[in-house]
Amino acid sequence: LTQISCALLLVMTLLSSCKEHDLFELDGKREYIQGSASSSVLSGRNRVKINFAVPNASVKMVKIYWNNRQNVKEVQVTGTGSLSTIISPLAEGSYNFELIGYDAAGNASVPYKLSGTALGASFEATLANRGIKDLYYDENGTAIISWDAAGQALEMQLNYTDQSDVLRKVVRPSTADTTQLVKLKPGELSVNISYKTAYLPPNCIDTFYAAPKEQAVITGSLKALAAAKGIDLGNRIFYGYGGTNYGIAVDGSPNGIYTALSKKEYNMGQ
Protein backbone atom coordinates (compact mmCIF):
# COMPACT_ATOMS: atom_id res chain seq x y z
CA LEU A 1 0.00 0.00 0.00
CA THR A 2 2.84 2.35 0.82
CA GLN A 3 4.48 1.67 -2.57
CA ILE A 4 1.21 2.41 -4.43
CA SER A 5 0.78 5.69 -2.53
CA CYS A 6 4.30 6.77 -3.38
CA ALA A 7 3.77 5.92 -7.05
CA LEU A 8 0.56 7.96 -7.17
CA LEU A 9 2.29 10.88 -5.47
CA LEU A 10 5.15 10.70 -8.00
CA VAL A 11 2.72 10.73 -10.95
CA MET A 12 0.82 13.72 -9.52
CA THR A 13 4.10 15.60 -8.98
CA LEU A 14 5.24 14.95 -12.55
CA LEU A 15 1.90 16.07 -13.96
CA SER A 16 1.95 19.33 -12.02
CA SER A 17 5.54 20.07 -13.02
CA CYS A 18 4.74 19.56 -16.75
CA LYS A 19 2.09 22.29 -16.68
CA GLU A 20 2.81 24.55 -19.71
CA HIS A 21 5.28 22.29 -21.47
CA ASP A 22 4.98 18.52 -21.86
CA LEU A 23 1.20 18.28 -21.49
CA PHE A 24 0.51 20.87 -24.16
CA GLU A 25 3.17 19.54 -26.50
CA LEU A 26 1.04 16.41 -26.75
CA ASP A 27 -2.07 18.42 -27.55
CA GLY A 28 -1.90 19.78 -31.11
CA LYS A 29 -4.94 21.98 -30.47
CA ARG A 30 -2.93 24.04 -28.00
CA GLU A 31 -0.17 25.06 -30.43
CA TYR A 32 -1.45 28.62 -30.65
CA ILE A 33 1.81 30.24 -31.82
CA GLN A 34 3.02 29.20 -35.23
CA GLY A 35 6.47 29.23 -36.75
CA SER A 36 6.54 30.36 -40.37
CA ALA A 37 8.68 32.21 -42.89
CA SER A 38 7.33 35.44 -41.41
CA SER A 39 8.40 34.56 -37.85
CA SER A 40 11.55 36.48 -37.02
CA VAL A 41 13.40 38.77 -34.65
CA LEU A 42 14.69 41.95 -36.30
CA SER A 43 17.55 43.83 -34.67
CA GLY A 44 17.28 47.49 -33.66
CA ARG A 45 18.98 50.18 -31.61
CA ASN A 46 18.69 48.77 -28.07
CA ARG A 47 15.49 47.02 -29.11
CA VAL A 48 14.16 44.21 -31.28
CA LYS A 49 11.02 43.70 -33.34
CA ILE A 50 9.38 40.28 -33.06
CA ASN A 51 7.17 39.00 -35.88
CA PHE A 52 5.00 35.93 -35.36
CA ALA A 53 1.78 34.29 -36.54
CA VAL A 54 -1.34 33.32 -34.56
CA PRO A 55 -3.35 30.77 -36.57
CA ASN A 56 -5.74 29.78 -33.78
CA ALA A 57 -8.71 32.08 -33.06
CA SER A 58 -8.91 30.84 -29.47
CA VAL A 59 -5.75 32.67 -28.45
CA LYS A 60 -6.50 35.95 -26.66
CA MET A 61 -3.06 36.94 -25.40
CA VAL A 62 0.59 36.18 -26.12
CA LYS A 63 3.25 36.48 -23.44
CA ILE A 64 6.81 37.03 -24.62
CA TYR A 65 9.48 35.99 -22.11
CA TRP A 66 13.23 36.67 -22.14
CA ASN A 67 16.16 36.65 -19.68
CA ASN A 68 15.14 33.18 -18.45
CA ARG A 69 11.57 34.41 -17.97
CA GLN A 70 12.66 37.23 -15.69
CA ASN A 71 11.12 39.69 -18.16
CA VAL A 72 7.79 39.44 -19.93
CA LYS A 73 5.65 41.48 -22.30
CA GLU A 74 1.95 40.80 -22.85
CA VAL A 75 0.44 41.27 -26.31
CA GLN A 76 -3.36 41.30 -26.58
CA VAL A 77 -4.70 39.40 -29.60
CA THR A 78 -7.92 39.74 -31.57
CA GLY A 79 -8.40 37.31 -34.41
CA THR A 80 -5.69 35.46 -36.31
CA GLY A 81 -2.84 36.34 -38.64
CA SER A 82 0.57 37.96 -38.47
CA LEU A 83 1.48 40.15 -35.52
CA SER A 84 4.54 42.10 -34.43
CA THR A 85 5.71 43.91 -31.33
CA ILE A 86 8.73 45.90 -30.15
CA ILE A 87 10.74 44.80 -27.11
CA SER A 88 12.50 47.83 -25.64
CA PRO A 89 14.71 48.96 -24.01
CA LEU A 90 17.29 46.20 -24.24
CA ALA A 91 20.98 46.22 -23.45
CA GLU A 92 23.13 45.46 -26.46
CA GLY A 93 23.49 41.70 -26.89
CA SER A 94 21.83 38.44 -27.91
CA TYR A 95 18.49 37.25 -26.51
CA ASN A 96 16.37 34.11 -26.49
CA PHE A 97 12.61 34.66 -26.52
CA GLU A 98 9.72 32.34 -25.67
CA LEU A 99 6.25 33.10 -27.01
CA ILE A 100 3.31 31.45 -25.24
CA GLY A 101 -0.31 31.90 -26.29
CA TYR A 102 -3.22 31.86 -23.83
CA ASP A 103 -6.91 31.27 -24.46
CA ALA A 104 -9.77 32.93 -22.57
CA ALA A 105 -9.59 30.28 -19.82
CA GLY A 106 -5.89 30.88 -19.26
CA ASN A 107 -4.73 27.66 -20.88
CA ALA A 108 -1.20 27.98 -22.25
CA SER A 109 0.18 26.84 -25.58
CA VAL A 110 3.43 25.12 -26.38
CA PRO A 111 6.24 27.74 -26.15
CA TYR A 112 7.55 28.97 -29.49
CA LYS A 113 11.21 30.02 -29.33
CA LEU A 114 13.04 32.73 -31.28
CA SER A 115 16.48 34.32 -30.96
CA GLY A 116 17.69 37.79 -31.87
CA THR A 117 20.20 40.56 -31.19
CA ALA A 118 19.83 44.12 -29.95
CA LEU A 119 22.49 46.43 -31.42
CA GLY A 120 23.90 49.52 -29.78
CA ALA A 121 26.89 51.80 -29.22
CA SER A 122 29.50 49.03 -29.39
CA PHE A 123 28.28 47.94 -32.81
CA GLU A 124 28.05 51.53 -34.02
CA ALA A 125 31.64 52.21 -32.96
CA THR A 126 32.84 49.61 -35.50
CA LEU A 127 31.36 51.48 -38.47
CA ALA A 128 33.69 53.43 -40.76
CA ASN A 129 32.91 56.38 -42.99
CA ARG A 130 32.97 55.94 -46.74
CA GLY A 131 36.35 56.97 -48.07
CA ILE A 132 36.90 60.03 -50.25
CA LYS A 133 38.88 59.31 -53.38
CA ASP A 134 39.28 62.93 -54.44
CA LEU A 135 37.96 66.38 -53.52
CA TYR A 136 38.12 69.42 -55.78
CA TYR A 137 36.86 73.00 -55.38
CA ASP A 138 36.06 74.44 -58.82
CA GLU A 139 35.97 78.00 -60.07
CA ASN A 140 32.19 78.15 -59.58
CA GLY A 141 32.47 77.60 -55.83
CA THR A 142 31.37 73.98 -55.94
CA ALA A 143 33.16 71.24 -54.03
CA ILE A 144 33.13 68.00 -56.00
CA ILE A 145 33.65 64.82 -53.99
CA SER A 146 34.58 61.53 -55.66
CA TRP A 147 33.83 58.59 -53.38
CA ASP A 148 35.58 55.29 -52.79
CA ALA A 149 33.56 52.06 -53.01
CA ALA A 150 30.40 52.20 -50.90
CA GLY A 151 30.60 48.75 -49.34
CA GLN A 152 27.50 48.19 -47.18
CA ALA A 153 26.77 51.91 -46.72
CA LEU A 154 23.20 53.18 -47.05
CA GLU A 155 23.88 56.88 -47.61
CA MET A 156 26.20 59.78 -46.84
CA GLN A 157 25.06 62.85 -44.90
CA LEU A 158 27.13 66.01 -45.38
CA ASN A 159 27.01 69.41 -43.65
CA TYR A 160 28.62 72.63 -44.86
CA THR A 161 28.17 76.40 -44.79
CA ASP A 162 27.27 78.08 -48.07
CA GLN A 163 28.24 81.52 -49.32
CA SER A 164 25.17 83.05 -47.63
CA ASP A 165 26.31 81.66 -44.24
CA VAL A 166 23.47 79.13 -44.29
CA LEU A 167 24.19 75.68 -42.89
CA ARG A 168 23.26 73.13 -45.53
CA LYS A 169 22.69 69.40 -45.24
CA VAL A 170 23.11 67.13 -48.24
CA VAL A 171 22.07 63.46 -48.23
CA ARG A 172 23.31 61.22 -51.04
CA PRO A 173 22.58 57.51 -51.56
CA SER A 174 25.42 55.02 -51.54
CA THR A 175 24.88 54.48 -55.28
CA ALA A 176 26.29 57.97 -55.94
CA ASP A 177 29.92 57.99 -57.04
CA THR A 178 30.20 61.78 -56.73
CA THR A 179 28.61 64.53 -54.63
CA GLN A 180 28.54 68.28 -55.29
CA LEU A 181 28.40 70.89 -52.54
CA VAL A 182 27.27 74.01 -54.38
CA LYS A 183 28.19 77.53 -53.30
CA LEU A 184 30.52 76.30 -50.58
CA LYS A 185 31.80 79.25 -48.56
CA PRO A 186 35.57 79.37 -49.13
CA GLY A 187 38.26 79.97 -46.59
CA GLU A 188 41.51 81.83 -47.20
CA LEU A 189 43.19 78.52 -47.95
CA SER A 190 40.72 75.83 -46.94
CA VAL A 191 37.41 75.20 -45.19
CA ASN A 192 36.09 72.19 -43.31
CA ILE A 193 32.98 70.21 -44.11
CA SER A 194 31.64 67.34 -42.00
CA TYR A 195 30.05 64.10 -43.08
CA LYS A 196 28.98 60.75 -41.72
CA THR A 197 28.00 57.48 -43.34
CA ALA A 198 24.72 55.74 -42.56
CA TYR A 199 24.25 51.98 -42.46
CA LEU A 200 21.16 49.78 -42.29
CA PRO A 201 22.42 46.35 -41.16
CA PRO A 202 20.73 43.21 -42.55
CA ASN A 203 17.47 42.28 -40.78
CA CYS A 204 17.47 45.53 -38.85
CA ILE A 205 14.81 48.21 -38.26
CA ASP A 206 17.14 51.07 -37.30
CA THR A 207 19.86 53.07 -39.05
CA PHE A 208 23.33 53.33 -37.55
CA TYR A 209 26.03 55.92 -38.25
CA ALA A 210 29.80 56.13 -38.37
CA ALA A 211 31.21 58.92 -36.21
CA PRO A 212 31.07 62.34 -37.95
CA LYS A 213 34.30 63.20 -39.76
CA GLU A 214 35.82 66.59 -40.58
CA GLN A 215 37.22 66.96 -44.08
CA ALA A 216 39.25 69.93 -45.33
CA VAL A 217 38.41 71.38 -48.74
CA ILE A 218 41.20 73.41 -50.35
CA THR A 219 39.48 76.60 -51.52
CA GLY A 220 42.55 78.81 -51.99
CA SER A 221 44.63 78.72 -55.15
CA LEU A 222 47.32 76.13 -55.62
CA LYS A 223 49.85 78.95 -55.69
CA ALA A 224 48.54 80.43 -52.39
CA LEU A 225 48.56 77.03 -50.74
CA ALA A 226 52.12 76.35 -51.87
CA ALA A 227 53.23 79.72 -50.55
CA ALA A 228 51.54 79.10 -47.19
CA LYS A 229 53.31 75.77 -46.89
CA GLY A 230 56.64 77.15 -48.09
CA ILE A 231 56.67 74.89 -51.14
CA ASP A 232 58.25 75.90 -54.44
CA LEU A 233 56.38 73.63 -56.81
CA GLY A 234 58.54 74.73 -59.72
CA ASN A 235 61.52 73.04 -58.08
CA ARG A 236 59.70 69.88 -57.17
CA ILE A 237 57.41 68.89 -60.01
CA PHE A 238 58.95 68.20 -63.38
CA TYR A 239 59.01 65.74 -66.21
CA GLY A 240 60.92 65.24 -69.41
CA TYR A 241 64.57 64.55 -70.11
CA GLY A 242 66.88 66.40 -67.77
CA GLY A 243 63.95 67.98 -65.89
CA THR A 244 63.67 70.82 -68.39
CA ASN A 245 59.87 70.73 -68.46
CA TYR A 246 57.68 71.20 -65.40
CA GLY A 247 54.18 69.91 -64.71
CA ILE A 248 52.20 66.91 -63.56
CA ALA A 249 53.80 63.74 -64.86
CA VAL A 250 51.04 61.37 -63.61
CA ASP A 251 47.59 62.75 -62.85
CA GLY A 252 45.23 60.20 -61.31
CA SER A 253 42.55 62.71 -60.39
CA PRO A 254 39.06 62.78 -61.97
CA ASN A 255 38.97 64.85 -65.16
CA GLY A 256 42.65 65.76 -64.91
CA ILE A 257 42.10 68.25 -62.09
CA TYR A 258 45.75 68.62 -61.10
CA THR A 259 46.95 69.00 -64.66
CA ALA A 260 44.38 71.75 -65.21
CA LEU A 261 45.54 73.57 -62.05
CA SER A 262 49.16 73.30 -63.08
CA LYS A 263 48.44 74.76 -66.51
CA LYS A 264 46.27 77.54 -65.13
CA GLU A 265 48.41 78.70 -62.25
CA TYR A 266 51.96 77.72 -63.20
CA ASN A 267 51.85 77.45 -66.98
CA MET A 268 53.06 73.89 -66.52
CA GLY A 269 52.67 71.09 -69.00
CA GLN A 270 52.05 73.28 -72.04
Side-chain angles (χ1 to χ4, degrees):
L1 180 63
T2 303
Q3 291 181 344
I4 295 176
S5 299
C6 290
L8 288 174
L9 180 60
L10 176 61
V11 170
M12 291 177 64
T13 302
L14 288 173
L15 287 175
S16 63
S17 65
C18 288
K19 203 173 179 181
E20 293 182 344
H21 303 283
D22 299 338
L23 287 181
F24 293 152
E25 285 183 3
L26 301 177
D27 185 357
K29 296 179 181 179
R30 295 278 173 83
E31 293 181 0
Y32 300 139
I33 310 302
Q34 186 179 67
S36 67
S38 62
S39 299
S40 61
V41 180
L42 303 180
S43 298
R45 184 184 295 274
N46 297 113
R47 62 179 185 165
V48 298
K49 180 180 181 180
I50 298 181
N51 300 312
F52 59 97
V54 178
N56 194 319
S58 63
V59 65
K60 302 303 179 184
M61 179 179 66
V62 173
K63 289 185 178 181
I64 301 175
Y65 295 93
W66 68 98
N67 285 340
N68 295 317
R69 297 201 177 187
Q70 295 182 44
N71 300 96
V72 62
K73 179 176 182 179
E74 297 183 356
V75 179
Q76 301 300 319
V77 178
T78 56
T80 61
S82 298
L83 296 174
S84 64
T85 189
I86 298 290
I87 305 295
S88 174
L90 292 174
E92 189 170 7
S94 298
Y95 292 87
N96 295 315
F97 299 95
E98 286 184 283
L99 285 68
I100 300 177
Y102 294 85
D103 62 16
N107 297 309
S109 70
V110 176
Y112 181 67
K113 298 180 179 181
L114 289 168
S115 298
T117 303
L119 303 176
S122 295
F123 168 77
E124 198 164 48
T126 67
L127 301 177
N129 279 297
R130 186 177 183 181
I132 292 179
K133 184 185 301 182
D134 204 22
L135 181 53
Y136 172 58
Y137 185 73
D138 70 15
E139 59 188 12
N140 297 316
T142 298
I144 304 171
I145 300 172
S146 296
W147 298 100
D148 282 332
Q152 300 300 313
L154 174 67
E155 64 186 21
M156 294 74 67
Q157 300 181 4
L158 304 97
N159 294 281
Y160 71 98
T161 301
D162 70 12
Q163 295 169 10
S164 298
D165 286 323
V166 175
L167 183 62
R168 291 197 181 191
K169 180 178 180 178
V170 175
V171 179
R172 296 288 288 152
S174 60
T175 53
D177 293 325
T178 62
T179 298
Q180 294 189 7
L181 307 180
V182 298
K183 297 182 178 180
L184 174 67
K185 182 179 180 179
E188 183 177 354
L189 291 176
S190 66
V191 66
N192 282 347
I193 63 171
S194 68
Y195 77 99
K196 62 182 179 180
T197 307
Y199 293 85
L200 182 63
N203 302 316
C204 187
I205 59 174
D206 292 318
T207 302
F208 290 80
Y209 300 89
K213 182 178 182 179
E214 294 286 319
Q215 176 67 47
V217 181
I218 305 303
T219 56
S221 69
L222 181 63
K223 188 175 293 186
L225 179 63
K229 298 295 184 179
I231 299 173
D232 182 359
L233 292 181
N235 290 331
R236 286 170 169 75
I237 305 176
F238 61 87
Y239 65 94
Y241 178 76
T244 56
N245 298 310
Y246 297 92
I248 302 296
V250 178
D251 186 354
S253 65
N255 304 318
I257 291 169
Y258 302 124
T259 299
L261 284 172
S262 295
K263 288 181 177 180
K264 178 180 177 182
E265 298 190 23
Y266 282 92
N267 196 33
M268 294 179 180
Q270 302 298 319

